[in-house]
Amino acid sequence: MSLFQYRLSELHNLLHDSKISVSELTEESLSAVARLDGDIHAFLTLNEEGAKSAARQLDDKLASGAPRGLLFGIPAGVKDNIVTKGLRTTCASRFLDNYQPIYDATVAAKLRQADAVTIGKLNMDEFAMGGSNENSAYGAVRNPWDLERVPGGSSGGSAAAVAAGEVFFALGSDTGGSIRQPASYCGVVGLKPTYGLVSRYGLVAFASSLDQIGPLTRTVEDSAYVLQAIAGYDPQDSTSAKVDIPDYLGALTGDVKGLRIAVPKEYVGEGVDASVRDTVLAALKVLEDLGAVWEEVSLPHTEYAVATYYLLASSEASSNLARFDGVRFGVRVDDGSGLLDLYHNSRSQGFGPEVKRRIMLGTYALSSGYYDAYYLKAQKVRTLIKQDFDEVFKKYDVVIGPTAPTTAFKLGSQTEDPLTMYLNDILTIPVNLAGIPAVSIPCGFAEGLPVGLQIIGKEFDERTVLRVAHAYEQHTDHHKQRPQL
Amino acid sequence: MSITVKDVQHVAKLARLHLSPEEEALFTEQMNAILQYAEKLGSLNTDDVPPTTHVLHVSNVMREDVVKESITVEEALLNAPDEEDGQFKVPAVLD
């Protein structure tokens, strides 16, 4: 029987009782990658020897009776925009094809401190720009539920690896929905924490005011475990929040009696597939039966979120990616005609089309004469979007809706039209603009494909978000469904 | 307002990108579509709305000025495409 049927807490018990060893668990993960990843293509770099060596050390630690970390012995994958010392980190870009980081991102160090085993680095949209994972320079990831469909992006490799049963959890990053949307498409749990709760030190920046690292797992309880291990103030990240980290596992009471839920009419209206809407309404009925109450509300500036996001994210991206110039790391294309041409040639050959498109858009929005009309305007509309949430949270505990307007679409079906692709993120983007937490959990299937339920909370109120998600999960079995591979 | 190929060429220069004629044509079309969509923000009155540059209320974040080990020259140059005498090597900028 596969060990992938177990939750992290169950694996801990099995390890504690010596029914399995960390080496066996790691071997289970590595053999699953060997068996499945030819079809899924979730991994860009496999850390086979490193993982086996770490597993042996952890087995010794177990035998010695030394205290064990929160993620003791658990094989994990890490999105390839999180730097890992000595382990190739490419951001799925040709630009960083051979990049060997000289330090660990804070989250990578925290995984090690928590005794997790890093199996490898996971595929993604290049520099985390995309909603389908078709923008990887190394080829698209495929959805384990239907290999002809996208896994979602940009943490598509992270979601697919967890859904396929290649790793027990993964880390992703979420700038406009890049953890939650692939979690929804792949039928796993994806948590975007409050901005500043998890350190971004060592995350290759895309849009610095929006990016946030979070876990992709198979259950809400597993998500709470990983969040507990990676959350916390980091003096190396100037945007890190100085807040006390609560007990996330203790929040999983299963009780939602009296909980007040807001359902924005904009999240279940036009543009959302009827099958997705019906699945989400059925999920609300489950919470209602558990004693929660829900009402329809309005987040009136939702329709402006995508435009706001693409102006802000592209502007920040154009600035962040200016450091990729072929001088200190990455691709260098020198045709002998001087330094300026070295910059131009290296960037032109190192970056893929979506990255170039966003750099161009951002450079335009920040350029002389357009700054006020585009960038400043978008920052002001961001305030209005945040105020929408502030207003709703005066009366309600959580906001609930679908994670994405549709289920996973077919590979190649939207690549010609970036605007349509961008609109897939309409239900996740407002959360990043407001900086608040949200989780996507499996809530059913539409035509055989997973549908995600998005639960959004007040800032730093991950406990309530996880409590509601866990309560729902305890009374349904969607999260136990596995793709046939 | 619409963007011309000439605008795209100017922005590419600012962004330090060489674009092929095909890329210029494609980006002109796509940037026009995206910016036209973004024009909808213009319909909102934001005269009295402060901009949100950052969702957390933090400013002037400083660490204690503590002397500590820095990375070595070898580490700094580990990923350098070209180096000489412990420095990053680039084409000459002066004759």
Side-chain angles (χ1 to χ4, degrees), chain A residues 100 332 348 357 377 383, chain B residues 18 30 44 50 52 79 89:
Chain A
Q100 296 286 338
R332 172 180 290 199
S348 301
R357 180 159 45 242
K377 183 78 182 182
T383 305
Chain B
H18 281 318
Q30 291 177 336
L44 287 170
T52 296
N79 290 285
K89 190 177 176 187

Side-chain angles (χ1 to χ4, degrees), chain A residues 216-294:
Chain A
L216 289 117
T217 57
R218 287 168 303 147
T219 70
V220 176
E221 185 190 79
D222 289 1
S223 189
Y225 263 102
V226 182
L227 182 65
Q228 199 81 56
I230 63 173
Y233 174 68
D234 179 9
Q236 299 195 97
D237 174 1
S238 64
T239 59
S240 182
K242 279 186 180 167
V243 291
D244 292 332
I245 302 304
D247 175 9
Y248 297 116
L249 285 157
L252 309 182
T253 61
D255 181 16
V256 290
K257 207 162 281 173
L259 183 94
R260 296 159 301 171
I261 300 171
V263 179
K265 63 181 184 188
E266 293 83 5
Y267 284 29
V268 287
E270 202 182 334
V272 176
D273 272 7
S275 57
V276 169
R277 182 168 46 238
D278 291 348
T279 311
V280 166
L281 290 174
L284 283 166
K285 180 76 173 59
V286 172
L287 290 169
E288 208 171 42
D289 290 346
L290 293 172
V293 289
W294 69 271

Side-chain angles (χ1 to χ4, degrees), chain B residues 2 9 19 25 29 31 37 46 68 80 85 90:
Chain B
S2 66
Q9 288 167 340
L19 300 180
E29 183 192 322
M31 284 174 67
Y37 179 75
T46 53
K68 59 178 187 178
D85 297 335
V90 293

